[in-house]
Amino acid sequence: MSIENKLRAIAEHGAGWIMWLLVALSVLVLAIAIERGFVLFRASGDVTALRSKLAGALGRGDLVAARRCVLASRSIEARVLEAGLGALPRGPAAVEERLASEAQLVRLALEGRLAVLGTIGANAPFIGLLGTVIGVIRAFHALDASAGQVSTALMSEIGEALTATAVGLFVALPAVALFNFFQRAIGARVGRAEALGREMLSFVKDERKSLGEAVS
């Protein structure tokens, strides 16, 4: 049997399995969206209040109070700041590097599984198109079997072919929208964490400078 006949035999099975695959992908998209949304919600907090308390504590030079207010927050911004505070004994350069490192680790943790959303969003239309091609092949076979007469079976095959494309787009559009939404949300959260880290670093550098001037 030639490769053409083998592919034709596969097409004869119809596009039903394509539909089930797209349904499974839509369920996967929904599951990932719920899981990532829960992660972002669990790692949220009042960043404005955190910034105010941290600035007050650092302004007084009270590192204990600064660490306490950071540990009291469950936000990812606080996680980045906590890493920076842990590197204070090693100086401003170490604090800066630790803040940058933790921000990247946080971003990678939050972006987990988002690649799956992007992949589904990019490829679901092509999966639906595959179903359409299979449906068209079956439609031509039905047309040939009916000696050129349009029949109910032929119309059914054409309808199945068009449905596969529609379902592929229906799966892809929410996947792409959710991917973009989570990317923007994560970028904003990490950006706020980096901004707070730089603000904290400015206090650390000013304190070291003041100590140096006092010694000289």
Side-chain angles (χ1 to χ4, degrees), residues 8 13 20 32 51 72 78 85 97 110 129 149 205 210:
R8 187 176 298 169
H13 291 290
W20 283 111
I32 292 175
R51 179 187 180 189
L85 288 173
E97 292 298 324
L110 293 177
L129 182 60
Q149 298 295 323
K205 289 181 177 180
S210 298

Coordinates of all heavy atoms in Angstrom, one line a residue, residues 8 13 20 32 51 72 78 85 97 110 129 149 205 210:
R8 N -5.1 8.2 2.9 CA -6.5 8.2 2.5 C -7.3 7.3 3.5 O -8.4 7.7 3.9 CB -6.7 7.8 1.1 CG -8.1 7.9 0.6 CD -8.1 7.5 -0.9 NE -7.3 8.4 -1.7 CZ -6.9 8.1 -3.0 NH1 -7.4 7.1 -3.6 NH2 -6.2 9.0 -3.6
H13 N -11.5 7.6 8.4 CA -12.0 7.5 9.8 C -12.8 8.8 10.2 O -13.4 8.7 11.2 CB -10.9 7.2 10.7 CG -10.3 5.8 10.5 ND1 -11.0 4.7 10.9 CD2 -9.1 5.4 10.1 CE1 -10.2 3.6 10.6 NE2 -9.1 4.0 10.1
W20 N -12.5 15.7 19.4 CA -12.3 15.3 20.8 C -10.9 15.9 21.2 O -10.8 16.3 22.4 CB -12.3 13.8 20.9 CG -13.7 13.2 20.9 CD1 -14.3 12.5 20.0 CD2 -14.6 13.4 22.0 NE1 -15.6 12.2 20.3 CE2 -15.8 12.7 21.6 CE3 -14.6 14.1 23.2 CZ2 -17.0 12.7 22.3 CZ3 -15.8 14.0 24.0 CH2 -16.9 13.3 23.6
I32 N -5.4 25.4 33.1 CA -4.2 26.2 33.3 C -4.5 27.6 33.7 O -3.9 28.2 34.6 CB -3.3 26.2 32.0 CG1 -2.8 24.8 31.8 CG2 -2.2 27.2 32.1 CD1 -2.0 24.6 30.5
R51 N 4.9 49.3 50.6 CA 5.9 50.4 50.2 C 6.0 51.4 51.3 O 7.1 51.9 51.7 CB 5.5 51.0 48.9 CG 6.5 52.1 48.4 CD 5.9 52.8 47.2 NE 6.8 53.8 46.8 CZ 6.6 54.7 45.8 NH1 5.4 54.6 45.2 NH2 7.4 55.7 45.5
A72 N 5.5 39.9 56.7 CA 4.1 39.9 56.9 C 3.2 39.9 55.7 O 2.1 39.6 55.7 CB 3.7 41.1 57.8
A78 N 7.0 41.3 48.0 CA 7.6 41.1 49.3 C 8.7 40.0 49.3 O 9.7 40.1 49.9 CB 6.6 40.7 50.4
L85 N 16.8 42.1 51.4 CA 17.2 42.3 52.8 C 18.1 41.3 53.4 O 19.0 41.5 54.2 CB 15.9 42.4 53.7 CG 15.0 43.6 53.5 CD1 13.7 43.4 54.2 CD2 15.7 44.8 53.9
E97 N 22.3 42.6 43.3 CA 22.3 41.3 42.5 C 21.3 40.3 43.0 O 20.7 39.6 42.3 CB 23.7 40.7 42.6 CG 24.8 41.4 41.9 CD 24.6 41.5 40.4 OE1 24.1 40.5 39.9 OE2 24.9 42.5 39.8
L110 N 6.1 32.2 38.0 CA 4.8 32.7 37.6 C 4.5 32.3 36.2 O 3.3 32.1 35.8 CB 4.7 34.2 37.8 CG 4.7 34.7 39.3 CD1 4.6 36.2 39.3 CD2 3.6 34.1 40.1
L129 N -8.0 23.1 11.1 CA -7.8 23.0 9.7 C -7.6 21.6 9.2 O -8.1 21.2 8.1 CB -6.7 23.9 9.2 CG -6.4 24.0 7.7 CD1 -7.6 24.6 7.0 CD2 -5.2 24.9 7.5
Q149 N -24.1 13.2 -7.5 CA -25.3 13.7 -6.9 C -25.1 14.2 -5.5 O -24.5 13.5 -4.7 CB -26.4 12.6 -6.9 CG -26.7 12.0 -8.3 CD -27.4 13.1 -9.1 OE1 -28.2 13.9 -8.6 NE2 -27.1 13.1 -10.4
K205 N 22.1 52.3 50.0 CA 23.3 53.1 49.5 C 23.4 54.4 50.2 O 24.6 54.8 50.6 CB 23.2 53.3 48.0 CG 23.3 52.1 47.1 CD 23.2 52.4 45.7 CE 23.5 51.2 44.8 NZ 23.4 51.5 43.4
S210 N 26.3 57.6 54.3 CA 26.3 58.4 55.5 C 27.3 57.9 56.5 O 28.0 58.6 57.2 CB 24.9 58.4 56.1 OG 24.0 59.0 55.2

